[in-house]
Amino acid sequence: MDHLTDGARLPSPRGATEPYGPCVLLKHGEVVLKGRNRQRFVQRLEDNLRVALRGIGGSTWIRTPHTITVLGGQVPVADLVARARTVVGFSSVEPALRVPSTLESVEANALAVLREACAGRTGTGFAVRVRRRDKGFALTSTQLERHLGAFLQPRIDGLRVDLTAPDVTLTVEIEHRETYVSAERHPGLTGLPVGSSGRALVLLSGGYDSPVAAHRAMRRGLACDFVHFSGAPYTNPSSVYKAYALARELNRYQPPGELHVVSLGKAQKQLAVAGAGRLQVVAQRRLMVRTACALAGATGAQALVTGDSLGQVASQTLANLAAVDQAATLPVLRPLIGWEKQEIIDQARALGTAEISVLPDEDCCSLLAPPQVSTGARLGQLRAVEKRLDLDEVVEALLANVQVMRPGQEDEPAPVADAGCSVPS
Ligand code: ATP
Ligand code: MG
């Protein structure tokens, strides 16, 4: 939105420091429902927005007068919109013009905004919606809607009023000193600001499910770190590259979390040697959860998150999930428990993780997988197998060799890929 009328070029409203001109309106989602704690949530929204704007290439400003956050700066509005759309907690993201709250300025800028929105269309149906927070403005909302409708309609060729199914809705929000005019609205990532519900550790494999689960956890306010178990030293590092690329993609939606990589191969062999047999996969999952709970102390996580969906594969029967829970000292959250595979894949595509998940890898779970996985693991049998190992020692050894990475942070070089697999850029 480059077109500005004279009014919009004025330096700044009296008593405020932000200039008139292009900006972005960010309407708050669920945060508006918060009572006494609302300010804490709003602060978190602003902090996360600031992190999302890092490296955007120019100065920016953020202001939250009430249930809308206003974002502006010395960068193209399209760039601000793109960044704001990755921040969890806003119900909509609207490029807008911030103009003086006078009738002349509102008329002129409404015309400029509508002209741009109608460019390239013919016979555009339009509606004007006014919201007046400053009751001192000369006209009521309804009066101004009618006034602007009558003012705009003859000034743009082929424009017609359509209040039931408009092609373009011009929104005018009148504040005390400034007014926001916009004709474009993008859906935001509704939910609770990341971090407002605490921290979690996501068990991130290379498949479709766990990245989607991580995103759902973030949407409920959980800041996420990630742990990936590779089959090293018996597998190539392709699954690690995938986990890194997935974590980097997921970190676009939150203040970046760490990726911890655990080489599980030797411990998997120990379980096999201990006679896990058909219980191998569930025993591995229990070991993963045990190790993740121990790791959570270091990352500050209060819960684990997995991509399990009930009954999707043999290891995800109710009995097997319950057996895994028994090995955890923290709550195991499973945001996808009731999702179908197709819903998960659709969501992964929308998120941008599907194209990484689809890449081939050498997964630790296929290493030593029995021909038939037990669907009803008994705790007694699992414990008997585990007793043949010193589990505390095994977990300690796994944690002693954890590799910590910070995907998506500027000072972190991506792992070097070998010929077999490359990290998508
Ligand atoms: P995904 O698509 O997430 O790989 P899946 O359908 O392949 O899931 P499983 O392989 O049974 O299902 O894994 C169930 C969950 O266990 C995963 O969503 C993930 O949270 C966790 N998990 C499995 N393998 C690993 C691994 N190698 N590293 C970390 N977590 C894992
Ligand atoms: Mg998997």
Side-chain angles (χ1 to χ4, degrees):
M1 193 183 297
D2 299 326
H3 192 122
L4 284 188
T5 66
D6 286 346
R9 277 202 200 94
L10 290 174
S12 76
R14 227 173 335 130
T17 50
E18 297 79 24
Y20 290 126
C23 66
V24 185
L25 296 186
L26 305 167
K27 304 269 169 74
H28 295 183
E30 206 173 320
V31 165
V32 280
L33 304 175
K34 299 290 163 197
R36 277 179 298 131
N37 290 333
R38 195 158 70 89
Q39 205 40 46
R40 184 169 64 81
F41 285 87
V42 170
Q43 191 59 51
R44 184 76 70 164
L45 264 182
E46 285 197 353
D47 290 347
N48 292 349
L49 182 57
R50 245 174 238 116
V51 174
L53 292 169
R54 273 187 202 151
I56 198 168
S59 64
T60 54
W61 54 265
I62 296 170
R63 195 168 156 254
T64 304
H66 37 81
T67 58
I68 298 178
T69 293
V70 189
L71 166 64
Q74 308 288 331
V75 280
V77 164
D79 293 354
L80 296 175
V81 167
R83 297 289 181 106
R85 290 189 71 185
T86 66
V87 178
V88 174
F90 296 117
S91 61
S92 68
V93 177
E94 299 174 34
L97 267 190
R98 179 181 163 95
V99 306
S101 285
T102 63
L103 187 56
E104 306 74 61
S105 146
V106 170
E107 283 173 347
N109 285 293
L111 182 58
V113 169
L114 193 58
R115 273 220 173 98
E116 199 171 304
C118 293
R121 302 178 198 247
T122 47
T124 313
F126 86 113
V128 181
R129 304 262 182 261
V130 173
R131 184 144 186 209
R132 196 177 57 133
R133 287 202 188 77
D134 173 22
K135 303 295 179 202
F137 194 80
L139 304 180
T140 65
S141 303
T142 318
Q143 284 170 336
L144 185 57
E145 280 173 1
R146 290 201 185 122
H147 174 86
L148 283 176
F151 174 84
L152 295 166
Q153 195 263 325
R155 285 176 169 78
I156 296 177
D157 277 351
L159 191 66
R160 59 189 173 80
V161 174
D162 183 346
L163 300 182
T164 42
D167 302 307
V168 177
T169 302
L170 186 85
T171 310
V172 177
E173 310 219 8
I174 301 174
E175 308 278 342
H176 181 48
R177 290 195 181 88
E178 65 279 337
T179 290
Y180 297 98
V181 184
S182 84
E184 206 183 326
R185 169 185 290 230
H186 304 277
L189 279 180
T190 52
L192 296 173
V194 173
S196 62
S197 300
R199 275 202 96 71
L201 185 59
V202 178
L203 277 77
L204 187 66
S205 59
Y208 286 109
D209 307 339
S210 42
V212 175
H215 193 253
R216 297 316 294 190
M218 290 177 195
R219 299 272 302 270
R220 297 315 300 157
L222 284 169
C224 294
D225 291 299
F226 310 95
V227 57
H228 173 71
F229 294 90
S230 81
Y234 307 116
T235 52
N236 70 25
S238 52
S239 77
V240 179
Y241 299 145
K242 277 177 76 176
Y244 183 92
L246 288 168
R248 187 176 57 186
E249 202 60 28
L250 291 164
N251 274 343
R252 295 195 307 122
Y253 300 97
Q254 65 164 4
E258 293 174 344
L259 169 65
H260 297 250
V261 177
V262 179
S263 301
L264 197 67
K266 282 185 183 156
Q268 289 180 261
K269 270 227 164 126
Q270 284 175 286
L271 284 170
V273 170
R278 287 184 64 191
L279 299 176
Q280 176 77 20
V281 173
V282 180
Q284 279 169 199
R285 216 35 69 69
R286 277 165 62 88
L287 183 55
M288 285 183 193
V289 158
R290 253 194 199 103
T291 310
C293 286
L295 194 59
T299 66
Q302 299 143 296
L304 304 184
V305 172
T306 76
D308 292 307
S309 152
L310 187 60
Q312 191 194 83
V313 289
S315 60
Q316 294 169 0
T317 59
L318 197 51
N320 287 352
L321 294 181
V324 171
D325 280 355
Q326 290 285 336
T329 50
L330 288 174
V332 182
L333 306 181
R334 299 182 169 95
L336 307 186
I337 198 70
W339 287 41
E340 287 169 23
K341 193 75 189 184
Q342 194 55 48
E343 290 176 297
I344 296 171
I345 293 174
D346 290 347
Q347 181 66 37
R349 290 208 175 105
L351 278 181
T353 54
E355 58 198 65
I356 304 167
S357 295
V358 77
L359 296 171
D361 66 353
E362 275 187 22
D363 176 21
C364 77
C365 294
S366 30
L367 178 75
L368 301 171
Q372 251 198 326
V373 175
S374 161
T375 52
R378 298 241 170 81
L379 265 184
Q381 295 169 319
L382 280 161
R383 286 192 180 127
V385 172
E386 289 169 350
K387 248 205 211 140
R388 294 177 201 136
L389 277 68
D390 183 336
L391 275 183
D392 290 341
E393 222 171 71
V394 173
V395 170
E396 214 172 286
L398 290 174
L399 291 184
N401 292 306
V402 175
Q403 234 185 316
V404 185
M405 302 176 186
R406 300 162 72 214
Q409 298 197 25
E410 277 152 26
D411 57 341
E412 173 79 7
V416 181
D418 65 10
C421 177
S422 60
V423 181
S425 52

